[in-house]
Amino acid sequence: MAIPLWLATTVGVTGVLLSKVDYNIFFMKFFRNLSRSKARARLYNNKYAMIPVMLGIEEPIKIKDDIDAENAMHITREQLEEMDGFEGTPLYLSIKGRVYDVSAGGKFYAEGGEYHDWVGKDASRSFGTGCRGGVDRTGMDCLSESLEGLTDNEMKEIDRWLELYETHDKYTFVGYLVDDPVEEIVERVHEENEAAEAAAAAAEAEDLDDDDDEETEQQQEEVAA
């Protein structure tokens, strides 16, 4: 029996599209959205939350600053790096500067887990691009916290992951990622020293120019005499 042209075309096109699908990322997003749907249903008593979330047409949830933000922990990047699950430490990750304890998801976040690349760092960029090794299409480190050059869709993906961690019933918000104050002081002193040296060099150069001008004037006066 001859296969209808429309059916052959549909199968062919579907095959091409499926061959380009990154199934790893596809299932990561699927289970993430499934978890977000359950959280929205639980938190907002919305039994139909799954439909718009799974279709990607949901309204974003605004992550509001905590009422007790002043009392929230401030975690430096060095401290965050140590929270990698080794030697009994918890599993922390950061996204858009917000740090979460994902120890309850050790199956996924511990060493060897699917999401371990995100642990111990702020890899916000990776949540948007799906790239978790090397450099992305812009040439930037996949696991960077920089959002430079990301598309609107990639920024939405980051916010979806942020919503997952913020609303998950087993993951907890820990605090905010901050620069190491000691490193900041050292860097500021270094910059001030460089500025002072540059100013001193400029002043010295100006003095030399003045001396040269005086010497030239004297020579001109002697020639004129």
Side-chain angles (χ1 to χ4, degrees), residues 21-125:
V21 172
D22 186 326
Y23 290 100
N24 189 38
I25 294 178
F26 173 82
F27 284 112
M28 284 173 61
K29 291 181 178 180
F30 175 82
F31 288 111
R32 175 203 65 191
N33 290 339
L34 187 60
S35 180
R36 289 171 57 226
S37 300
K38 292 179 180 178
R40 287 186 176 218
R42 182 183 75 253
L43 295 173
Y44 305 108
N45 194 29
N46 180 4
K47 62 181 180 180
Y48 301 111
M50 180 177 293
I51 297 174
V53 170
M54 300 306 285
L55 291 177
I57 57 175
E58 78 282 11
E59 290 294 324
I61 291 179
K62 183 175 176 56
I63 308 299
K64 59 181 182 298
D65 289 334
D66 299 78
I67 297 175
D68 58 346
E70 293 183 359
N71 299 322
M73 286 180 60
H74 286 175
I75 302 170
T76 66
R77 287 167 178 76
E78 185 177 29
Q79 292 171 329
L80 181 60
E81 287 178 4
E82 296 174 354
M83 303 303 176
D84 55 7
F86 291 101
E87 298 182 356
T89 60
L91 294 161
Y92 284 7
L93 62 75
S94 176
I95 177 170
K96 296 182 78 171
R98 295 177 67 85
V99 181
Y100 295 91
D101 184 341
V102 294
S103 300
K107 176 181 178 182
F108 306 102
Y109 294 92
E111 184 182 20
E114 189 64 37
Y115 305 153
H116 185 66
D117 291 333
W118 292 335
V119 171
K121 61 178 71 69
D122 188 318
S124 296
R125 190 177 193 83

